[in-house]
Amino acid sequence: MTGDLHTHSIYDDGKNSLMEMAMAAEGLGLDYLGFSGHSFQPGAEDWCIGNDRISSYLSEAMRIKEKYSAEGRHLRIFVGLELDIFGRAEKGLDYVIGSAHGFMQDGRFLSVDESPEALKRIINELFYGDPYAMTDAYYDNAAKIPEMTDCDIVGHFDLVTKFNESCPLFDARSPRYLDRALSVMRYLAEKDLIFEINTGAISRGWRTEPYPDSLLLRKLHDMGGRITINSDSHQSSTIAYEFGLARKRAMEAGFESIWVLTEQGFSEESLMDFRG
């Protein structure tokens, strides 16, 4: 069984409607698709669902879910949100992706994945030029994901490394970086959360490898962590993007199973049955 639970639409910072995303997933032969728009978040209205649109998002998503179910279509639709630690939770969801995207300062949200230039400014202005102080603070925020989001899935765990391939700002193999990252990863794994292998930065041209990187993924396996595979797609053409690569990296890290969403909840299945 194969599906994609991390997608965005024109309700937030995506390029296609919810129905267009569903039709594209159906065309790919997926078994399930999840809508996971960015939750409403003060100070981040340019990329999150606005407070005046969140009810419309949930209503339309539920309408499409019910339509596909009533028509007996193969594709199952699930309604969720990507909830940042500074975002606002909503009720009645099928699942939640919990994420840390950056820092709040004086009512402004500063995102670590906006651009290399913006991340440099964050390092210089908030952390006195010390990139490892920034990464420590980022993972400190990631450690708040369970209590702040009550999520099922941890989104793009090492998002802070997004620009490191083309514009390295720190050494992601340095103990100075890894100590905090691995400590927080273990904490989240012990909460029994599912970590997504996320291919979104590949489709947007910033990386050639998914999150988490290969070293962290191996460590996650050794910690007994659980995984799923998502695209973080912001347009219909990138749904299930590079899932074959993601599955390969999971198998190289030692994983044999993957967690998928069914109408009865999350279920463990063989990684070999997850199509790339």
Side-chain angles (χ1 to χ4, degrees), residues 57-58 62 79-81 83 89-96 152:
Y57 161 76
L58 294 172
M62 187 59 67
V79 180
L81 277 176
L83 178 58
E90 302 292 337
K91 297 179 180 179
L93 301 173
D94 295 319
Y95 69 101
V96 171
D152 306 285

Side-chain angles (χ1 to χ4, degrees), residues 45-169:
E45 288 84 354
D46 56 334
W47 53 275
C48 292
I49 301 174
N51 190 42
D52 59 339
R53 303 191 74 200
I54 190 70
S55 61
S56 296
Y57 161 76
L58 294 172
S59 295
E60 183 175 351
M62 187 59 67
R63 178 181 61 79
I64 295 172
K65 174 183 177 178
E66 292 172 352
K67 171 182 171 65
Y68 269 64
S69 178
E71 294 177 354
R73 299 199 189 189
H74 176 76
L75 179 72
R76 294 191 302 278
I77 300 291
F78 295 104
V79 180
L81 277 176
E82 181 179 6
L83 178 58
D84 189 272
I85 62 169
F86 298 109
R88 189 181 69 194
E90 302 292 337
K91 297 179 180 179
L93 301 173
D94 295 319
Y95 69 101
V96 171
I97 299 173
S99 299
H101 290 92
F103 311 98
M104 289 293 297
Q105 183 191 43
D106 301 327
R108 294 186 305 138
F109 186 79
L110 305 176
S111 178
V112 299
D113 67 328
E114 177 184 339
S115 69
E117 294 75 23
L119 185 54
K120 289 178 184 177
R121 286 195 299 272
I122 290 173
I123 292 170
N124 291 330
E125 295 175 10
L126 270 63
F127 300 98
Y128 305 99
D130 182 353
Y132 298 104
M134 183 274 297
T135 59
D136 281 354
Y138 172 80
Y139 284 113
D140 286 347
N141 278 348
K144 301 174 185 176
I145 286 174
E147 63 179 290
M148 300 300 289
T149 71
D150 191 26
C151 66
D152 306 285
I153 299 170
V154 176
H156 40 57
F157 175 72
D158 53 340
L159 179 68
V160 72
T161 66
K162 177 177 178 177
F163 307 116
N164 261 21
E165 282 192 29
S166 59
C167 183
L169 299 176

Side-chain angles (χ1 to χ4, degrees), residues 163-216:
F163 307 116
N164 261 21
E165 282 192 29
S166 59
C167 183
L169 299 176
F170 55 89
D171 181 3
R173 291 292 184 268
S174 165
R176 180 66 182 84
Y177 166 80
L178 287 171
D179 284 352
R180 190 66 56 87
L182 291 173
S183 174
V184 173
M185 173 174 273
R186 182 176 297 279
Y187 171 75
L188 298 178
E190 289 174 350
K191 294 288 185 180
D192 203 29
L193 297 178
I194 301 169
F195 285 70
E196 67 173 10
I197 300 179
N198 179 311
T199 63
I202 305 175
S203 65
R204 289 188 281 281
W206 286 110
R207 292 171 64 109
T208 58
E209 294 290 328
Y211 309 107
D213 76 9
S214 58
L215 187 152
L216 292 180

Side-chain angles (χ1 to χ4, degrees), residues 9-45:
S9 74
I10 55 175
Y11 275 104
D12 50 329
D13 58 346
K15 295 183 179 180
N16 291 96
S17 68
L18 294 176
M19 182 56 80
E20 288 170 337
M21 297 295 280
M23 291 172 62
E26 190 173 32
L28 291 170
L30 298 190
D31 300 296
Y32 62 88
L33 178 74
F35 299 134
S36 60
H38 290 292
S39 61
F40 171 68
Q41 184 172 326
E45 288 84 354

